[in-house]
Amino acid sequence: MNYDILLRDASFKECREYIRSHFQEYYDVEPGFVLFEKHMIGVPPITIGLSGDVVIFPYTKPCYGTFLLRLECREEADRLRALKSGKKK
């Protein structure tokens, strides 16, 4: 997967605030939510942003910290919209 790192060594609060201030479409999920076939970990609520086919989400890599990643994937963006329809913030 090709991705861009938007924030490095960020807290979940910093990631949440960044997404909410830079993207109009975002959804809050609980830890354990499956994104890109991986269970998300973090401090709830975990905010995931969408911009067209781009998914913006915090990702924690043990021993390296939390990153805010930007990744283009139409299938995952559509899946998230379908799961969270009616819950857009």
Side-chain angles (χ1 to χ4, degrees):
M1 287 189 204
N2 291 329
Y3 57 85
D4 297 319
I5 297 174
L6 300 178
L7 296 176
R8 185 182 305 266
D9 293 326
S11 69
F12 278 87
K13 181 180 178 184
E14 292 169 328
C15 292
R16 184 172 43 248
E17 290 173 353
Y18 184 94
I19 291 170
R20 290 180 179 183
S21 66
H22 288 82
F23 301 97
Q24 291 183 347
E25 185 179 9
Y26 58 86
Y27 302 93
D28 291 334
V29 300
E30 294 296 317
F33 182 81
V34 177
L35 186 68
F36 297 107
E37 300 180 0
K38 303 288 183 199
H39 292 273
M40 297 189 77
I41 60 172
V43 179
I46 300 172
T47 302
I48 301 171
L50 296 176
S51 178
D53 295 338
V54 175
V55 181
I56 303 94
F57 60 100
Y59 176 76
T60 300
K61 185 172 183 178
C63 300
Y64 291 93
T66 299
F67 301 85
L68 184 62
L69 302 181
R70 176 186 181 279
L71 196 147
E72 187 168 344
C73 182
R74 171 180 275 181
E75 294 81 18
E76 200 65 12
D78 289 345
R79 186 182 75 85
L80 184 61
R81 285 185 181 106
L83 288 173
K84 294 294 188 174
S85 65
K87 295 184 179 180
K88 182 179 175 183
K89 302 271 179 155

